[in-house]
Protein backbone atom coordinates (compact mmCIF):
# COMPACT_ATOMS: atom_id res chain seq x y z
CA UNK A 1 0.00 0.00 0.00
CA UNK A 2 1.24 3.46 -0.80
CA UNK A 3 1.27 5.98 2.00
CA UNK A 4 0.47 9.53 1.09
CA UNK A 5 1.57 13.06 1.83
CA UNK A 6 0.60 16.45 0.62
CA UNK A 7 3.38 18.79 -0.12
CA UNK A 8 4.59 22.22 -0.48
CA UNK A 9 5.02 24.54 2.34
CA UNK A 10 2.10 26.13 0.92
CA UNK A 11 -1.04 26.25 -0.50
CA UNK A 12 -2.89 25.05 -3.06
CA UNK A 13 -5.86 26.94 -3.19
CA UNK A 14 -9.49 26.61 -3.18
CA UNK A 15 -9.72 25.54 -6.76
CA UNK A 16 -6.57 26.58 -8.63
CA UNK A 17 -8.67 28.35 -11.18
CA UNK A 18 -7.63 29.84 -14.49
CA UNK A 19 -10.14 32.45 -15.65
CA UNK A 20 -12.61 31.00 -13.16
CA UNK A 21 -16.10 32.31 -12.35
CA UNK A 22 -14.33 34.74 -10.03
CA UNK A 23 -11.02 36.36 -10.72
CA UNK A 24 -9.00 39.33 -9.56
CA UNK A 25 -8.25 40.72 -13.00
CA UNK A 26 -5.79 43.27 -11.68
CA UNK A 27 -8.20 44.88 -9.23
CA UNK A 28 -7.44 45.67 -5.62
CA UNK A 29 -9.61 42.87 -4.29
CA UNK A 30 -11.35 39.66 -5.27
CA UNK A 31 -14.31 40.35 -7.48
CA UNK A 32 -16.45 38.06 -9.59
CA UNK A 33 -15.77 38.04 -13.30
CA UNK A 34 -18.82 37.76 -15.52
CA UNK A 35 -16.77 37.21 -18.65
CA UNK A 36 -17.41 33.47 -18.37
CA UNK A 37 -19.92 31.98 -15.95
CA UNK A 38 -18.96 28.38 -16.74
CA UNK A 39 -16.71 26.27 -18.93
CA UNK A 40 -18.40 24.91 -22.06
CA UNK A 41 -16.42 21.65 -21.85
CA UNK A 42 -16.20 19.53 -18.70
CA UNK A 43 -14.97 16.05 -17.76
CA UNK A 44 -14.69 14.13 -14.51
CA UNK A 45 -11.41 12.56 -13.45
CA UNK A 46 -13.08 9.14 -13.12
CA UNK A 47 -13.66 9.13 -16.90
CA UNK A 48 -9.91 8.62 -17.20
CA UNK A 49 -9.72 5.70 -14.82
CA UNK A 50 -9.02 7.50 -11.55
CA UNK A 51 -10.04 5.81 -8.30
CA UNK A 52 -10.55 7.85 -5.16
CA UNK A 53 -9.73 5.18 -2.59
CA UNK A 54 -6.60 6.83 -1.18
CA UNK A 55 -4.29 4.02 -2.36
CA UNK A 56 -4.63 3.84 -6.16
CA UNK A 57 -2.08 6.06 -7.90
CA UNK A 58 -3.92 8.44 -10.26
CA UNK A 59 -1.07 10.39 -11.82
CA UNK A 60 -1.72 9.06 -15.33
CA UNK A 61 -5.42 9.80 -15.01
CA UNK A 62 -4.75 13.46 -14.15
CA UNK A 63 -2.13 13.78 -16.87
CA UNK A 64 -4.32 12.18 -19.54
CA UNK A 65 -7.38 14.23 -18.58
CA UNK A 66 -5.48 17.51 -18.79
CA UNK A 67 -3.84 16.49 -22.07
CA UNK A 68 -7.29 15.82 -23.50
CA UNK A 69 -8.65 19.17 -22.24
CA UNK A 70 -5.78 21.05 -23.85
CA UNK A 71 -7.64 20.89 -27.17
CA UNK A 72 -10.41 23.11 -25.73
CA UNK A 73 -8.15 26.01 -24.77
CA UNK A 74 -9.27 28.07 -27.76
CA UNK A 75 -12.91 26.94 -27.48
CA UNK A 76 -13.83 28.62 -24.21
CA UNK A 77 -11.65 26.47 -21.99
CA UNK A 78 -12.54 23.38 -20.00
CA UNK A 79 -13.18 22.09 -16.50
CA UNK A 80 -11.77 19.02 -14.78
CA UNK A 81 -13.99 17.95 -11.91
CA UNK A 82 -12.69 15.87 -9.01
CA UNK A 83 -15.56 14.25 -7.06
CA UNK A 84 -15.60 13.25 -3.40
CA UNK A 85 -12.85 10.82 -2.50
CA UNK A 86 -9.16 10.58 -1.65
CA UNK A 87 -7.16 10.93 -4.85
CA UNK A 88 -3.54 9.82 -4.61
CA UNK A 89 -1.28 11.28 -7.30
CA UNK A 90 2.19 12.36 -8.23
CA UNK A 91 2.93 15.66 -9.94
CA UNK A 92 0.75 16.82 -12.84
CA UNK A 93 0.68 19.99 -14.93
CA UNK A 94 -2.02 22.61 -15.25
CA UNK A 95 -2.79 24.31 -18.55
CA UNK A 96 -4.20 27.73 -19.34
CA UNK A 97 -7.97 28.17 -19.62
CA UNK A 98 -8.62 25.30 -17.23
CA UNK A 99 -10.69 25.16 -14.07
CA UNK A 100 -9.64 22.42 -11.68
CA UNK A 101 -12.79 22.07 -9.57
CA UNK A 102 -12.86 19.94 -6.43
CA UNK A 103 -15.92 18.67 -4.64
CA UNK A 104 -15.95 19.85 -1.03
CA UNK A 105 -15.26 16.25 0.07
CA UNK A 106 -12.42 15.74 -2.42
CA UNK A 107 -8.91 15.32 -1.02
CA UNK A 108 -5.83 15.36 -3.27
CA UNK A 109 -2.99 13.35 -1.74
CA UNK A 110 0.61 13.58 -2.91
CA UNK A 111 2.53 10.32 -3.25
CA UNK A 112 5.65 9.92 -1.11
CA UNK A 113 7.35 7.78 -3.77
CA UNK A 114 10.10 9.97 -5.27
CA UNK A 115 9.60 8.28 -8.65
CA UNK A 116 6.27 10.12 -8.91
CA UNK A 117 7.98 13.54 -8.79
CA UNK A 118 9.90 14.45 -11.98
CA UNK A 119 13.08 16.51 -11.70
CA UNK A 120 12.92 20.01 -13.22
CA UNK A 121 15.16 23.06 -13.46
CA UNK A 122 15.17 25.52 -10.53
CA UNK A 123 13.05 28.64 -10.64
CA UNK A 124 14.97 31.62 -12.05
CA UNK A 125 14.32 33.61 -8.87
CA UNK A 126 16.07 30.97 -6.78
CA UNK A 127 18.93 30.00 -9.05
CA UNK A 128 19.42 26.66 -7.39
CA UNK A 129 17.66 24.07 -5.27
CA UNK A 130 16.47 24.91 -1.76
CA UNK A 131 18.50 22.18 -0.12
CA UNK A 132 20.89 21.06 -2.85
CA UNK A 133 22.48 22.78 -5.84
CA UNK A 134 20.82 22.39 -9.19
CA UNK A 135 17.53 20.86 -10.21
CA UNK A 136 14.59 19.97 -8.00
CA UNK A 137 11.41 17.90 -7.86
CA UNK A 138 8.24 19.28 -9.38
CA UNK A 139 5.49 20.51 -7.11
CA UNK A 140 2.24 18.62 -6.76
CA UNK A 141 0.32 20.81 -9.18
CA UNK A 142 2.72 22.40 -11.64
CA UNK A 143 2.52 24.82 -14.53
CA UNK A 144 4.72 26.90 -16.80
CA UNK A 145 3.88 30.07 -18.74
CA UNK A 146 0.24 29.88 -17.70
CA UNK A 147 -2.22 32.76 -17.55
CA UNK A 148 -4.21 33.70 -14.46
CA UNK A 149 -3.22 30.72 -12.36
CA UNK A 150 -2.54 30.87 -8.65
CA UNK A 151 1.06 30.03 -7.87
CA UNK A 152 3.18 30.33 -4.76
CA UNK A 153 6.33 32.24 -5.69
CA UNK A 154 6.53 35.70 -7.25
CA UNK A 155 2.78 35.95 -7.76
CA UNK A 156 0.39 38.84 -8.12
CA UNK A 157 -3.40 39.13 -8.02
CA UNK A 158 -3.97 36.00 -5.94
CA UNK A 159 -7.11 34.89 -4.10
CA UNK A 160 -7.09 32.03 -1.57
CA UNK A 161 -10.42 31.40 0.15
CA UNK A 162 -12.29 28.76 2.16
CA UNK A 163 -9.52 26.22 2.69
CA UNK A 164 -8.78 23.67 5.38
CA UNK A 165 -5.08 22.72 5.45
CA UNK A 166 -3.24 20.33 7.73
CA UNK A 167 0.46 19.94 7.01
CA UNK A 168 3.94 19.62 8.48
CA UNK A 169 5.07 22.99 7.17
CA UNK A 170 3.61 26.46 6.60
CA UNK A 171 -0.05 26.40 5.65
CA UNK A 172 0.39 29.30 3.25
CA UNK A 173 3.79 30.76 2.37
CA UNK A 174 4.42 33.83 0.24
CA UNK A 175 7.84 34.21 -1.32
CA UNK A 176 9.61 36.14 -4.07
CA UNK A 177 13.12 34.86 -4.60
CA UNK A 178 16.30 34.10 -2.74
CA UNK A 179 19.13 36.62 -2.12
CA UNK A 180 21.02 37.75 -5.24
CA UNK A 181 18.85 35.60 -7.50
CA UNK A 182 15.62 37.16 -6.29
CA UNK A 183 17.12 40.65 -6.44
CA UNK A 184 18.25 40.08 -10.02
CA UNK A 185 14.98 38.51 -11.14
CA UNK A 186 13.06 41.36 -9.46
CA UNK A 187 9.61 39.77 -9.57
CA UNK A 188 7.52 40.75 -6.52
CA UNK A 189 4.56 38.99 -4.95
CA UNK A 190 1.77 41.52 -4.50
CA UNK A 191 -1.98 42.02 -4.22
CA UNK A 192 -2.67 38.78 -2.36
CA UNK A 193 -5.96 38.09 -0.56
CA UNK A 194 -6.36 35.23 1.92
CA UNK A 195 -9.74 34.65 3.58
CA UNK A 196 -11.31 32.07 5.81
CA UNK A 197 -8.44 29.60 6.07
CA UNK A 198 -8.49 27.03 8.87
CA UNK A 199 -5.71 24.62 9.71
CA UNK A 200 -2.90 23.27 11.82
CA UNK A 201 0.84 22.77 11.44
CA UNK A 202 2.93 21.10 14.08
CA UNK A 203 6.25 22.61 13.04
CA UNK A 204 5.65 25.89 11.21
CA UNK A 205 3.27 28.83 10.71
CA UNK A 206 -0.25 29.45 9.55
CA UNK A 207 0.82 32.36 7.34
CA UNK A 208 4.50 32.80 6.47
CA UNK A 209 6.05 35.67 4.51
CA UNK A 210 9.60 34.87 3.41
CA UNK A 211 12.21 34.01 4.16
CA UNK A 212 12.95 34.11 0.42
CA UNK A 213 11.53 37.59 -0.26
CA UNK A 214 14.29 39.34 -2.21
CA UNK A 215 11.97 40.32 -5.06
CA UNK A 216 9.61 42.03 -2.62
CA UNK A 217 6.25 41.21 -0.99
CA UNK A 218 3.49 43.80 -0.59
CA UNK A 219 -0.26 44.39 -0.38
CA UNK A 220 -1.09 41.20 1.49
CA UNK A 221 -4.56 41.01 3.09
CA UNK A 222 -5.42 38.16 5.46
CA UNK A 223 -8.86 37.83 7.10
CA UNK A 224 -10.65 35.09 9.02
CA UNK A 225 -7.67 32.87 9.88
CA UNK A 226 -8.32 30.04 12.37
CA UNK A 227 -5.31 28.13 13.68
CA UNK A 228 -4.95 25.36 16.23
CA UNK A 229 -2.28 22.94 17.47
CA UNK A 230 0.43 24.89 15.65
CA UNK A 231 3.92 26.22 16.28
CA UNK A 232 3.39 29.78 15.01
CA UNK A 233 0.44 31.86 13.95
CA UNK A 234 1.97 34.48 11.64
CA UNK A 235 5.68 34.39 10.79
CA UNK A 236 7.68 37.01 8.91
CA UNK A 237 11.13 35.70 8.02
CA UNK A 238 14.11 37.37 6.43
CA UNK A 239 17.86 37.83 6.81
CA UNK A 240 20.76 40.14 5.94
CA UNK A 241 21.61 39.46 2.32
CA UNK A 242 17.99 39.22 1.22
CA UNK A 243 17.42 42.84 0.24
CA UNK A 244 13.89 43.33 -1.02
CA UNK A 245 10.98 44.31 1.20
CA UNK A 246 7.87 43.14 3.03
CA UNK A 247 5.44 46.02 3.35
CA UNK A 248 1.75 46.86 3.48
CA UNK A 249 0.51 43.68 5.18
CA UNK A 250 -2.90 43.63 6.89
CA UNK A 251 -3.87 40.64 9.05
CA UNK A 252 -7.18 40.71 10.91
CA UNK A 253 -9.89 38.59 12.52
CA UNK A 254 -7.63 35.75 13.61
CA UNK A 255 -8.37 33.10 16.23
CA UNK A 256 -5.73 30.76 17.62
CA UNK A 257 -5.82 27.88 20.05
CA UNK A 258 -2.89 25.88 21.36
CA UNK A 259 -0.29 27.85 19.40
CA UNK A 260 3.28 28.22 20.68
CA UNK A 261 4.05 31.68 19.24
CA UNK A 262 1.22 33.91 18.04
CA UNK A 263 3.30 36.45 16.10
CA UNK A 264 6.91 35.91 15.10
CA UNK A 265 9.49 37.99 13.23
CA UNK A 266 12.81 36.35 12.37
CA UNK A 267 15.40 38.82 11.12
CA UNK A 268 18.29 36.35 11.21
CA UNK A 269 16.72 33.38 9.47
CA UNK A 270 19.95 32.65 7.60
CA UNK A 271 20.00 29.97 4.91
CA UNK A 272 21.63 31.34 1.75
CA UNK A 273 21.78 29.61 -1.64
CA UNK A 274 25.55 30.10 -1.92
CA UNK A 275 28.32 32.45 -0.81
CA UNK A 276 27.71 35.08 -3.50
CA UNK A 277 25.05 37.08 -1.67
CA UNK A 278 25.68 40.65 -0.50
CA UNK A 279 25.54 40.71 3.31
CA UNK A 280 24.92 44.47 3.15
CA UNK A 281 21.65 43.98 1.26
CA UNK A 282 19.25 44.56 4.15
CA UNK A 283 15.52 43.95 3.79
CA UNK A 284 12.88 46.62 4.42
CA UNK A 285 10.08 45.50 6.74
CA UNK A 286 7.40 48.16 7.25
CA UNK A 287 3.69 48.90 7.68
CA UNK A 288 2.62 45.52 9.04
CA UNK A 289 -0.75 45.63 10.83
CA UNK A 290 -2.23 42.99 13.14
CA UNK A 291 -5.82 43.62 14.21
CA UNK A 292 -8.62 41.76 16.00
CA UNK A 293 -6.72 38.67 17.16
CA UNK A 294 -7.89 36.30 19.90
CA UNK A 295 -5.83 33.40 21.23
CA UNK A 296 -6.23 30.72 23.89
CA UNK A 297 -3.47 28.52 25.29
CA UNK A 298 -0.72 30.61 23.66
CA UNK A 299 2.78 30.20 25.05
CA UNK A 300 4.31 33.42 23.69
CA UNK A 301 2.38 36.42 22.39
CA UNK A 302 5.25 37.59 20.20
CA UNK A 303 8.91 36.94 19.46
CA UNK A 304 9.78 39.89 17.24
CA UNK A 305 13.44 40.03 16.31
CA UNK A 306 14.55 42.49 13.68
CA UNK A 307 18.04 43.16 12.34
CA UNK A 308 20.47 45.44 14.14
CA UNK A 309 20.93 48.62 12.13
CA UNK A 310 17.87 47.83 10.05
CA UNK A 311 14.96 48.37 12.41
CA UNK A 312 11.64 46.95 11.26
CA UNK A 313 9.26 49.89 11.58
CA UNK A 314 5.58 50.81 11.64
CA UNK A 315 4.54 47.47 13.12
CA UNK A 316 0.99 48.03 14.38
CA UNK A 317 -1.03 45.99 16.90
CA UNK A 318 -4.70 46.69 17.61
CA UNK A 319 -7.37 44.87 19.64
CA UNK A 320 -5.37 41.74 20.44
CA UNK A 321 -6.20 39.49 23.39
CA UNK A 322 -4.07 36.42 24.02
CA UNK A 323 -4.28 33.92 26.87
CA UNK A 324 -0.53 33.48 27.38
CA UNK A 325 1.09 30.84 29.58
CA UNK A 326 4.65 32.28 29.59
CA UNK A 327 5.83 34.77 32.21
CA UNK A 328 7.57 36.68 29.39
CA UNK A 329 4.86 37.03 26.74
CA UNK A 330 6.77 39.43 24.45
CA UNK A 331 10.40 39.49 23.32
CA UNK A 332 11.25 42.31 20.92
CA UNK A 333 14.43 43.73 19.44
CA UNK A 334 15.22 46.10 16.58
CA UNK A 335 11.60 46.88 15.79
CA UNK A 336 9.42 49.99 16.11
CA UNK A 337 5.69 50.44 16.06
CA UNK A 338 2.42 51.17 17.78
CA UNK A 339 -0.19 49.33 19.81
CA UNK A 340 -3.60 49.85 21.34
CA UNK A 341 -5.87 47.48 23.26
CA UNK A 342 -3.28 44.69 23.45
CA UNK A 343 -3.28 42.10 26.24
CA UNK A 344 -0.85 41.13 27.59
CA UNK A 345 0.70 44.57 27.11
CA UNK A 346 3.03 44.65 24.13
CA UNK A 347 6.79 45.07 24.40
CA UNK A 348 8.31 48.51 24.92
CA UNK A 349 9.24 49.24 21.26
CA UNK A 350 5.57 48.81 20.29
CA UNK A 351 3.95 50.84 23.06
CA UNK A 352 3.74 54.12 21.21
CA UNK A 353 0.27 55.47 20.55
CA UNK A 354 -0.39 56.07 16.88
CA UNK A 355 -0.55 59.82 16.22
CA UNK A 356 -3.91 61.07 15.02
CA UNK A 357 -4.31 61.01 11.22
CA UNK A 358 -1.05 59.13 10.86
CA UNK A 359 -0.62 56.82 7.87
CA UNK A 360 2.09 54.74 9.56
CA UNK A 361 -0.19 51.72 10.02
CA UNK A 362 -1.42 49.86 6.97
CA UNK A 363 -5.21 49.74 7.03
CA UNK A 364 -7.61 48.05 4.65
CA UNK A 365 -11.11 49.45 4.27
CA UNK A 366 -11.87 48.35 0.74
CA UNK A 367 -12.19 44.57 1.01
CA UNK A 368 -15.42 43.02 -0.29
CA UNK A 369 -17.85 41.90 2.37
CA UNK A 370 -18.51 38.31 3.45
CA UNK A 371 -21.83 38.35 1.59
CA UNK A 372 -20.44 39.69 -1.67
CA UNK A 373 -21.00 37.66 -4.81
CA UNK A 374 -17.29 37.03 -5.17
CA UNK A 375 -17.23 35.43 -1.75
CA UNK A 376 -20.28 33.25 -2.44
CA UNK A 377 -19.34 31.92 -5.85
CA UNK A 378 -16.75 29.38 -4.77
CA UNK A 379 -16.80 27.27 -1.61
CA UNK A 380 -14.23 24.55 -2.25
CA UNK A 381 -12.43 22.88 0.64
CA UNK A 382 -9.02 21.36 0.06
CA UNK A 383 -7.92 19.14 2.92
CA UNK A 384 -4.25 18.36 3.33
CA UNK A 385 -2.72 15.74 5.58
CA UNK A 386 1.01 15.21 5.70
CA UNK A 387 3.47 12.71 7.07
CA UNK A 388 6.32 15.18 6.63
CA UNK A 389 6.86 18.36 4.59
CA UNK A 390 8.33 18.28 1.13
CA UNK A 391 10.05 21.49 0.05
CA UNK A 392 9.26 21.39 -3.63
CA UNK A 393 9.19 24.53 -5.73
Amino acid sequence: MRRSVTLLEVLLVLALITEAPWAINGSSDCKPSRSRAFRPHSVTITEFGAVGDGTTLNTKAFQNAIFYLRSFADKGGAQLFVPAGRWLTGSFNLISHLTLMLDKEAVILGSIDSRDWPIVDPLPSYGRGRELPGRRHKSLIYGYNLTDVIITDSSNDVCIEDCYISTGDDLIAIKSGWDEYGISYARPSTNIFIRRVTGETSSSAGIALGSEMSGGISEVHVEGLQLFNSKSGINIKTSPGRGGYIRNVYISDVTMKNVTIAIRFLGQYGEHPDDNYNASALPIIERITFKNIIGKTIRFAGLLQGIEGDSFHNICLSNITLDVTSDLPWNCSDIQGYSILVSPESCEPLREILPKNSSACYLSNHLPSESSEGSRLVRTMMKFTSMYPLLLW
Side-chain angles (χ1 to χ4, degrees):
M1 178 186 300
R2 291 176 182 266
R3 295 168 62 206
S4 60
V5 58
T6 56
L7 64 164
L8 297 211
E9 336 181 40
V10 161
L11 310 98
L12 282 172
V13 75
L14 67 106
L16 282 168
I17 294 176
T18 307
E19 297 183 353
W22 61 264
I24 295 184
N25 295 332
S27 68
S28 62
D29 54 35
C30 306
K31 295 179 179 178
S33 170
R34 297 187 180 276
S35 61
R36 189 169 304 281
F38 63 92
R39 296 294 193 189
H41 306 280
S42 179
V43 297
T44 300
I45 191 63
T46 53
E47 297 177 47
F48 295 84
V51 179
D53 59 5
T55 59
T56 301
L57 187 67
N58 296 298
T59 310
K60 284 295 184 183
F62 277 99
Q63 292 173 343
N64 290 341
I66 291 173
F67 180 80
Y68 167 74
L69 294 175
R70 188 184 302 272
S71 62
F72 299 104
D74 59 351
K75 301 178 180 64
Q79 175 177 291
L80 175 58
F81 178 68
V82 181
R86 296 170 61 82
W87 307 90
L88 180 66
T89 180
S91 175
F92 61 90
N93 290 358
L94 288 181
I95 57 173
S96 295
H97 311 292
L98 172 72
T99 297
L100 176 61
M101 183 63 68
L102 277 70
D103 181 270
K104 67 178 182 178
E105 299 298 332
V107 180
I108 292 183
L109 301 171
S111 167
I112 64 169
D113 188 334
S114 62
R115 294 172 296 179
D116 298 326
W117 305 96
I119 302 294
V120 296
D121 291 331
L123 296 176
S125 59
Y126 281 72
R128 54 160 286 178
R130 183 78 165 74
E131 284 73 44
L132 297 171
R135 308 175 78 198
R136 66 190 66 210
H137 289 280
K138 271 188 179 181
S139 56
L140 175 60
I141 301 178
Y142 185 82
Y144 185 73
N145 284 341
L146 305 181
T147 59
D148 301 323
V149 174
I150 295 173
I151 57 177
T152 65
D153 189 277
S154 297
S155 313
N156 62 280
D157 295 342
V158 173
C159 239
I160 302 172
E161 295 181 316
D162 302 298
C163 299
Y164 178 89
I165 307 173
S166 176
T167 184
D169 214 307
D170 300 321
L171 302 188
I172 296 176
I174 302 171
K175 300 174 180 285
S176 67
W178 206 1
D179 289 1
E180 69 270 26
Y181 302 105
I183 293 171
S184 175
Y185 195 58
R187 175 70 186 272
S189 289
T190 186
N191 202 30
I192 297 170
F193 291 80
I194 301 167
R195 294 187 181 87
R196 299 177 302 278
V197 171
T198 299
E200 61 178 329
T201 168
S202 60
S203 64
S204 298
I207 304 292
L209 286 76
S211 73
E212 300 91 332
M213 38 65 66
S214 303
I217 296 172
S218 69
E219 277 62 52
V220 178
H221 306 261
V222 180
E223 290 186 307
L225 182 65
Q226 298 185 56
L227 297 174
F228 58 95
N229 302 338
S230 297
K231 183 176 181 180
S232 299
I234 297 98
N235 198 350
I236 293 178
K237 303 178 288 186
T238 187
S239 180
R242 295 287 195 266
Y245 56 84
I246 299 176
R247 62 163 63 104
N248 295 351
V249 177
Y250 180 82
I251 299 174
S252 71
D253 302 310
V254 178
T255 60
M256 304 183 195
K257 184 175 182 179
N258 192 27
V259 172
T260 304
I261 305 168
I263 302 171
R264 188 168 194 180
F265 287 13
L266 285 170
Q268 296 285 349
Y269 192 76
E271 290 195 351
H272 302 283
D274 50 41
D275 295 329
N276 298 322
Y277 69 94
N278 178 7
S280 299
L282 299 180
I284 298 171
I285 311 296
E286 61 181 358
R287 301 189 77 209
I288 315 293
T289 296
F290 300 91
K291 184 177 180 181
N292 301 339
I293 298 177
I294 297 174
K296 294 184 178 181
T297 318
I298 308 297
R299 185 173 181 188
F300 298 103
L303 298 181
L304 310 180
Q305 301 164 337
I307 299 173
E308 185 177 359
D310 181 38
S311 180
F312 298 4
H313 61 283
N314 292 341
I315 312 303
C316 301
L317 310 179
S318 173
N319 194 28
I320 297 174
T321 302
L322 302 172
D323 174 18
V324 177
T325 60
S326 172
D327 294 333
L328 298 172
W330 296 89
N331 186 335
C332 303
S333 61
D334 299 304
I335 66 168
Q336 174 276 327
Y338 309 89
S339 63
I340 185 171
L341 300 176
V342 176
S343 176
E345 185 179 19
S346 61
C347 52
E348 183 66 33
L350 299 179
R351 290 181 188 171
E352 292 186 63
I353 303 299
L354 184 68
K356 189 176 182 180
N357 299 323
S358 172
S359 61
C361 296
Y362 184 61
L363 301 177
S364 181
N365 300 316
H366 57 277
L367 297 178
S369 67
E370 172 72 23
S371 60
S372 68
E373 184 176 0
S375 295
R376 292 197 308 268
L377 279 173
V378 180
R379 288 288 184 272
T380 302
M381 176 181 291
M382 295 188 72
K383 185 179 295 185
F384 292 86
T385 330
S386 70
M387 301 306 210
Y388 57 88
L390 300 178
L391 303 182
L392 306 180
W393 296 95

